[in-house]
Amino acid sequence: MAQIKLTTLENLLDINEEIKRKSLSDPRIEYSGDRIYPVKIYKLSALINSVPVYRSVFEITAYYLKNIILLQAFPDANHRTALSTVEMFLKINGYSFNYAPEDAYQFRKELYARRMREYKTYEEMPISVLKEKDNQVFSLCLDFVKAHTK
């Protein structure tokens, strides 16, 4: 079995920076808060250092998706950064990740509902979520990844 290639802190920062850069030239792309809220590097470092390397590619992908969204380490575009990270991670590991905007919208709606049930809040979560057992939020992320990966 081939070794899984993991995402780096630099990958995460580059992905979010690219979204921010695109927002400057395309008014349809929103990105705000970067002058008020700094990137929470300690959360991203914890995410990278806590990757469950003993799990499958799909489970690691769901880990990235869930936790980038939950940690809310970026001033904006956390969902978009998570989806782009998933796409990049799967690509470097030999998979293709494709979804329609409608799929992402439905995922986000269901994720919101599950976050409210699981955590009773939509606010950013502490890094302790990185070590929690699989829950309904993780399951949704895993199902979304599997449904859109070839």
Side-chain angles (χ1 to χ4, degrees):
M1 186 165 139
Q3 176 138 1
I4 297 172
K5 297 174 183 108
L6 300 175
T7 299
T8 66
L9 176 61
E10 292 76 22
N11 295 144
L12 296 175
L13 295 170
D14 289 348
I15 288 167
N16 188 266
E17 186 62 31
E18 180 62 22
I19 294 168
K20 179 180 167 185
R21 193 171 25 258
K22 285 180 181 177
S23 76
L24 297 173
S25 61
D26 188 340
R28 297 171 299 165
I29 301 171
E30 292 184 31
Y31 193 100
S32 63
D34 59 311
R35 291 195 172 99
I36 302 168
Y37 304 106
V39 174
K40 296 176 182 107
I41 298 291
Y42 76 96
K43 284 189 168 189
L44 296 174
S45 295
L47 174 106
I48 294 300
N49 293 328
S50 299
V51 174
V53 295
Y54 56 89
R55 298 192 81 170
S56 73
V57 169
F58 294 122
E59 291 167 326
I60 293 172
T61 306
Y63 165 88
Y64 286 133
L65 184 58
K66 169 190 168 253
N67 291 308
I68 292 168
I69 293 169
L70 290 181
L71 292 176
Q72 296 287 298
F74 296 103
D76 198 359
N78 289 281
H79 286 81
R80 290 174 281 169
T81 300
L83 288 168
S84 293
T85 300
V86 163
E87 184 176 4
M88 183 215 61
F89 174 69
L90 287 167
K91 183 177 182 179
I92 65 173
N93 284 288
Y95 296 91
S96 175
F97 181 67
N98 296 300
Y99 60 90
E102 297 80 19
D103 299 331
Y105 174 75
Q106 289 304 320
F107 168 74
R108 190 172 181 164
K109 274 180 44 179
E110 181 58 27
L111 183 66
Y112 178 81
R114 290 192 190 195
R115 282 176 73 175
M116 292 304 289
R117 285 194 301 268
E118 188 72 36
Y119 304 109
K120 312 291 187 252
T121 183
Y122 192 68
E123 298 301 316
E124 72 181 66
M125 300 301 295
I127 59 174
S128 59
V129 298
L130 300 172
K131 299 290 186 177
E132 69 187 3
K133 293 183 179 191
D134 295 352
N135 60 26
Q136 61 182 317
V137 176
F138 178 84
S139 295
L140 176 67
C141 292
L142 184 59
D143 291 345
F144 184 79
V145 166
K146 286 181 176 179
H148 296 90
T149 301
K150 292 182 182 181

